Amino acid sequence: MTVVVSDRVLAPVYRRAAANCKMPSNKSVSDAPITQLVNCRILRDHRLQREDLWVREGKILDPEKLFFDEKAYADKQVDCHGGIVAPGFIDVQINGGYGVDFSRASDDVGAGVALVAQKVLEHGVTSFCPTLVTSPTDVYHKVGRCPLPPLEPSTLTFATTPFQVLPEVKVDDGGGHGAGVLGVHLEGPFISVEKKGAHPERFLRTFRSGDLADLTQVYGSLDNVAMVTLAPELEGSLSAVRELRRRGVTVSLGHSVANLSQAEEAVRHGASFITHLFNAMLPVGRALPPTSRPPALTSCHVVQFHHRDPGIVGLLTSDRIPEGRSVFYGMIADGIHTHPAALRIAHRAHPAGLVLVTDAIAAMGLPPGRHTLGQQVIQIQGLHACLEGTQTLSGSIATMDMCVRHFKHASGCSVEEALEAASLHPAQLLGISHHKGTLDFGSHADVVLLDESLDVRATFIGGQEVWRKKPRKKTDL
């Protein structure tokens, strides 16, 4: 008879053993030090469990094998003081932050990405996809190159001859220098004119054939591209979907007036994501009555859900998704883009597909005022980011930890569901859940430590602590 003893049962044994021996007793596997996170609840197998987390060489270890096979113990213990240990957050749609606009030409694109990568650590983000909105072709790849003057907040001037951005964004695992870069998310320019939002119409494109030539003409190389958002109703889009999937690029549907049949056909050809569900899709909406308008806006429009053809939203409950395939969808849970009731509708219809995204712009982390999103000027008033002179929502100023907290509160979901929407689900979407987005044995030790209120206390990448919240200074009363 074989007796299986769970790690939960053995955890006290490991802790007592670790207390008695601080160095590995068996060096046959690795000389690298072992770190043990103790006094915590870890998110594994979709539930919070009272266990320790063991890390060596950036990977999560199986403590049973470590203890019984190697007879090895921790070199270092980190006391989590009863906190929650979850996989690091993954943001697949972030346009910038802290004054950095990923879609705006710069003489040092890498430095801008690095700044955002370092700053988002305090919000629990360990990996992200820098997102470029619809831009001139020579922002995507090298056509010309010229010096670019710094952005002046008073004038918000733009370079007349921008130079390449896309080739300068490099995939990176992350570490002490900042969160990892998983690849670029290209949102546009193959989107609907009717649902362009803040995307400049003059740079929108249609497909000629949908083959590789269409894509490379606009984007150049796709080597560092993780995701492309396109409108599936455009002629030639299905060929583009197939080509992108063949090259390992995730295809998302968004900024679109597609009906459900067109959306389902795109999924059958390889599309697997919906860009910011409910926003920039479905028929043109009606005006909100004055009493229902957000305080910061003088007027506002909402989309209308039509029961005879729910459009892309209908993918959440479609019965025509190929067997074995999943459709994921992004939600901007900032309290502005999506009503709490809409969050609940989406979550209850398809909880396993919900992916939290910030859709943050350069204004994230900065005071209200005038900022940029690519070629456009965005006005920040309160929590609203709108295209200047309009009431068109244009990205957000939310951070990922804010979205996690708001999503849990607004949807009524469990802590585990809220955390997995920011970690496991985006990893599954990008096909990297075998090493990111989970705390499974062998996964990368990209970890966020949170308190009971889901405020971030510390962030780890590859088991290395890369950010920790400073304790409050005591003040005299």
Side-chain angles (χ1 to χ4, degrees), residues 179-379:
V181 175
L182 299 173
V184 178
H185 178 176
L186 298 173
E187 187 184 1
F190 300 103
I191 60 175
S192 165
V193 173
E194 292 87 350
K195 292 297 177 183
K196 65 182 183 297
H199 292 239
E201 184 173 342
R202 65 187 182 280
F203 298 128
L204 298 185
R205 299 286 292 263
T206 57
F207 296 106
R208 295 179 180 177
S209 60
D211 60 15
L212 183 60
D214 270 347
L215 300 169
T216 56
Q217 182 184 17
V218 173
Y219 300 136
S221 172
L222 295 170
D223 289 347
N224 291 324
V225 176
M227 184 184 306
V228 170
T229 291
L230 55 79
E233 72 272 17
L234 297 181
E235 186 176 354
S237 64
L238 296 182
S239 296
V241 170
R242 289 195 302 269
E243 182 61 34
L244 288 166
R245 288 304 303 138
R246 190 181 70 82
R247 299 176 69 85
V249 177
T250 298
V251 178
S252 183
L253 310 179
H255 287 277
S256 166
V257 294
N259 59 40
L260 178 55
S261 294
Q262 291 169 321
E264 289 170 333
E265 189 67 14
V267 170
R268 284 193 287 271
H269 283 75
S272 57
F273 192 51
I274 304 171
T275 295
H276 44 53
L277 187 76
F278 298 127
N279 290 277
M281 59 187 60
L282 302 176
V284 176
R286 58 179 175 82
L288 280 174
T291 56
S292 299
R293 294 172 189 161
L297 303 181
T298 56
S299 65
C300 186
H301 286 78
V302 293
V303 296
Q304 289 179 328
F305 177 87
H306 202 291
H307 57 282
R308 294 193 186 92
D309 192 335
I312 291 176
V313 175
L315 290 174
L316 272 62
T317 57
S318 172
D319 58 1
R320 297 186 178 182
I321 305 302
E323 187 176 354
R325 293 276 303 282
S326 297
V327 174
F328 295 88
Y329 57 97
M331 297 294 289
I332 310 171
D334 62 352
I336 304 296
H337 280 77
T338 312
H339 192 280
L343 276 173
R344 290 191 289 271
I345 289 171
H347 174 251
R348 294 173 188 178
H350 185 27
L354 195 149
V355 174
L356 291 176
V357 300
T358 62
D359 199 22
I361 63 173
M364 178 180 67
L366 299 181
R370 300 172 76 229
H371 299 272
T372 67
L373 177 59
Q375 308 297 306
Q376 307 282 39
V377 177
I378 308 300
Q379 183 72 42

Side-chain angles (χ1 to χ4, degrees), residues 13 35 40 92 98 131 153 170 188 202 217 266 356 429 432 445:
V13 177
T35 300
C40 56
V92 300
Y98 311 96
T131 303
K170 306 298 184 183
R202 65 187 182 280
Q217 182 184 17
L356 291 176
L429 163 69
I432 57 174

Side-chain angles (χ1 to χ4, degrees), residues 117-135:
Q118 194 276 326
K119 297 290 285 184
V120 297
L121 294 174
E122 65 184 275
H123 303 294
V125 175
T126 55
S127 300
F128 67 108
C129 293
T131 303
L132 273 62
V133 297
T134 297
S135 302

Side-chain angles (χ1 to χ4, degrees), residues 5-18 36 38 50-52 54 63:
V5 183
S6 72
D7 182 41
R8 183 179 182 181
V9 173
L10 290 173
V13 177
Y14 305 146
R15 284 195 289 271
R16 287 194 298 270
Q36 179 189 14
V38 302
R50 182 69 67 176
E51 295 180 10
D52 299 343
W54 302 71

Side-chain angles (χ1 to χ4, degrees), residues 114-198:
L115 173 64
V116 175
Q118 194 276 326
K119 297 290 285 184
V120 297
L121 294 174
E122 65 184 275
H123 303 294
V125 175
T126 55
S127 300
F128 67 108
C129 293
T131 303
L132 273 62
V133 297
T134 297
S135 302
T137 299
D138 48 6
V139 166
Y140 294 117
H141 67 98
K142 190 171 183 178
V143 175
R145 190 173 182 88
C146 71
L148 181 70
L151 177 67
E152 296 292 339
S154 59
T155 59
L156 293 172
T157 55
F158 294 89
T160 55
T161 311
F163 56 89
Q164 60 180 351
V165 172
L166 184 53
E168 303 300 321
V169 182
K170 306 298 184 183
V171 174
D172 175 70
D173 284 337
H177 58 282
V181 175
L182 299 173
V184 178
H185 178 176
L186 298 173
E187 187 184 1
F190 300 103
I191 60 175
S192 165
V193 173
E194 292 87 350
K195 292 297 177 183
K196 65 182 183 297

